[in-house]
Amino acid sequence: MSPSIFVETLRPLSTRMPRVVREQEVLRIAASLPPSDTGKELDVARREILAWTQKRSGGRLPPEAWRFESFEYLSGGRNSVGVRMTLGLADVWAIRADDPDKTVAGRIWTHEIVIGTMPGSAPRLSVRQLISSPEDEPKYEPHSPGFIQQLSETCGIFEPSRQLQHIPWEICSEAETEELVDLLLDSDRTIPVFVLTTGWSSSASIQAPLVDAFSLSRATVGNAHVVVLPQEFAALLTERFGKQRSVFGGAVRAYMPGFNEDANPYDHRLVIADLIRVPGGAEQSIRWLRSLAAIESIKRTRLGHDVRAFSSVKKAKLESTAEDLEKQGAGDSAKLVTANERLKALQESLEEAERWEKVLSDEHAREEQRAQAAEEQLRASSFRIQALMDQLQSQGPDREAGSTPSPKTWGQLTAWCDTELAGMVSLAPSARKGIKSADFEDLELVVRCIRWLAADCRQWRINGGDGSLRELVIEDGIRNSPCGGDEYDTDWQGRRYTADWHIKNGGNTRDPKRCLRIYYFWEPNSQQIVITDMPAHRRTGMT
């Protein structure tokens, strides 16, 4: 029997079988509420959440809910459950609410909200948005829940770096631009900053960005800062970070947490104005930014630490209740009811853990597929670049690598390597750090050595001639040689390599102003030299 006949034979049976409902996490929000001695702001936040929940419940929540006590509201697909508990000085209020999708049958949105307070610290807010659906791959556009916008308006919500707003931050002065720079460089920042620039114009009127900043702000409030940067102030970012890491001329850039002056520009994706201006480009850009904010919110928060699952709060509440009953000498019937509820809560926790394990396993498999595809594309691109370089060389005399003027300062060297020698030489993070604090006095010599790596050394490697590189003199007093006892293992793009070669100058000195060392290895998949450390001598177990 052919596979197609087998499938057609079983099709009537499959239509009568119950469809598997899958639950997956869409986004998370981890924030703080303003501290209050009286607790009024905290009560305002709880009421806003309850009012939002009641609008989707199809009825009225019970009085216990409005007293911020534990409650249950069951209404066929619109269930809401609340838990209130105290553990020592901690006070925890949590709610889980279901909301059926208005357009897709069988799809249910679930929100888990937990607010925890401790004396002397700001209340912590955690939110999880989940979707349950029988669809194999539900299609949706992530959007922060409406109560987050309401909280930002009424009482304010904060992440470590800044207040979270449901409207874009419009830069109006050089002082505010400097404030934006501080936000981008803040090591405590936990969410992306989407910088939307205005286009070039000779008009005196203020131009709007090419994408809808207000729509994007509402959709990502809690998970991203949205900033509108007029062209007149965009130049300040370029002066500070260079063209590779700035944004201007109507383009949009997503500055991820951890950004700094030496960050890899490709980790902070830029959408150029020409792509936004094409039909549908602005809408596509907003969809991508919304998805990025949601995905990053899950990647960058830890379940059980930054964000709490409702099931964990419910389980803790039941355990506390069981302990209280035991202390009070309650009867067996009361203990049995509590034990059954605890058993049910444990089962729910187990099911959630299994679902989360499945999500992680599926995501790991997808990442492996994406990494494999990216590596294949990188190899193909490397071969294509090499073919074009060979073709150019065959048409004329050998030329010095690159046409951009050589860097004149150490601060320009990183950007020069990233642009002029892309695909030939890459700088590892440790090398970028070494460049930033370099004391070596002869920058021109360093540039000549890196050009040699990009041209002669790389060509020898491509042709399999690594043996001919041993103790090779690059110029008077400068030679290329194996590291010997100074070689070391290093990580590069998720893999382990050995930095086993270096360029060095002569003389028995370790003075960082005169001692040159450029450590590197050959990466065969991308066919490029990776510089792992420079320009000083590394300290190792041998030295």
Side-chain angles (χ1 to χ4, degrees), residues 11-29:
R11 189 181 301 279
L13 178 61
S14 64
T15 58
R16 295 196 297 268
M17 296 178 66
R19 301 183 69 183
V20 177
V21 177
R22 300 176 178 86
E23 183 180 80
Q24 67 183 61
E25 204 164 4
V26 177
L27 59 83
R28 296 175 182 171
I29 295 174

Side-chain angles (χ1 to χ4, degrees), residues 78-98:
R78 299 178 182 271
N79 301 332
S80 299
V81 181
V83 171
R84 179 72 178 274
M85 63 175 296
T86 56
L87 287 174
L89 298 177
D91 186 349
V92 180
W93 178 83
I95 185 171
R96 177 182 168 101
D98 296 332

Side-chain angles (χ1 to χ4, degrees), residues 310-538:
F310 178 81
S311 60
S312 66
V313 179
K314 183 179 179 181
K315 177 173 172 288
K317 171 68 174 179
L318 291 171
E319 290 175 351
S320 176
T321 300
E323 292 177 1
D324 291 342
L325 289 175
E326 189 68 32
K327 292 177 182 177
Q328 296 168 6
D332 292 341
S333 58
K335 292 181 181 179
L336 180 60
V337 171
T338 303
N340 288 334
E341 291 178 348
R342 290 179 65 188
L343 183 61
K344 182 180 178 181
L346 287 171
Q347 182 64 31
E348 292 172 351
S349 297
L350 177 60
E351 291 173 355
E352 182 172 12
E354 291 175 345
R355 285 195 300 268
W356 185 238
E357 182 182 8
K358 177 69 163 53
V359 168
L360 293 177
S361 176
D362 292 346
E363 182 62 25
H364 177 71
R366 285 192 293 268
E367 289 295 337
E368 281 193 334
Q369 292 175 356
R370 283 193 286 265
Q372 184 177 0
E375 285 187 358
E376 291 175 356
Q377 185 178 13
L378 179 61
R379 282 194 292 270
S381 299
S382 298
F383 284 118
R384 177 59 176 163
I385 290 172
Q386 186 59 38
L388 291 173
M389 291 177 63
D390 293 342
Q391 185 177 357
L392 285 173
Q393 289 182 357
S394 67
Q395 294 176 357
D398 291 342
R399 296 183 302 171
E400 191 179 50
S403 56
T404 306
S406 296
K408 301 301 182 184
T409 66
W410 286 104
Q412 297 172 351
L413 181 63
T414 299
W416 176 78
C417 287
D418 290 341
T419 54
E420 190 66 9
L421 305 181
M424 296 178 284
V425 171
S426 286
L427 299 175
S430 52
R432 295 173 186 270
K433 183 178 179 181
I435 290 171
K436 189 175 181 180
S437 58
D439 293 321
F440 190 69
E441 294 178 335
D442 194 348
L443 176 60
E444 292 183 359
L445 171 61
V446 172
V447 172
R448 293 197 301 271
C449 291
I450 296 178
R451 285 189 184 278
W452 179 85
L453 287 173
D456 296 356
C457 181
R458 179 172 177 271
Q459 193 62 50
W460 269 314
R461 286 288 189 172
I462 289 174
N463 296 332
D466 59 314
S468 61
L469 296 174
R470 295 183 180 275
E471 295 299 334
L472 180 68
V473 176
I474 300 174
E475 60 178 75
D476 186 27
I478 307 298
R479 66 183 188 274
N480 178 75
S481 63
C483 290
D486 283 346
E487 73 175 34
Y488 62 98
D489 291 337
T490 185
D491 291 325
W492 169 253
Q493 296 184 344
R495 291 186 177 178
R496 198 75 168 167
Y497 295 91
T498 299
D500 50 354
W501 292 82
H502 61 356
I503 294 175
K504 61 181 181 178
N505 59 357
N508 187 23
T509 178
R510 293 185 182 273
D511 182 354
K513 294 181 179 181
R514 295 183 293 133
C515 176
L516 174 65
R517 295 292 187 276
I518 302 177
Y519 300 85
Y520 69 91
F521 65 85
W522 169 247
E523 208 295 294
N525 290 322
S526 59
Q527 292 195 314
Q528 62 180 334
I529 302 291
V530 180
I531 298 176
T532 60
D533 209 343
M534 65 176 293
H537 197 294
R538 286 187 78 252

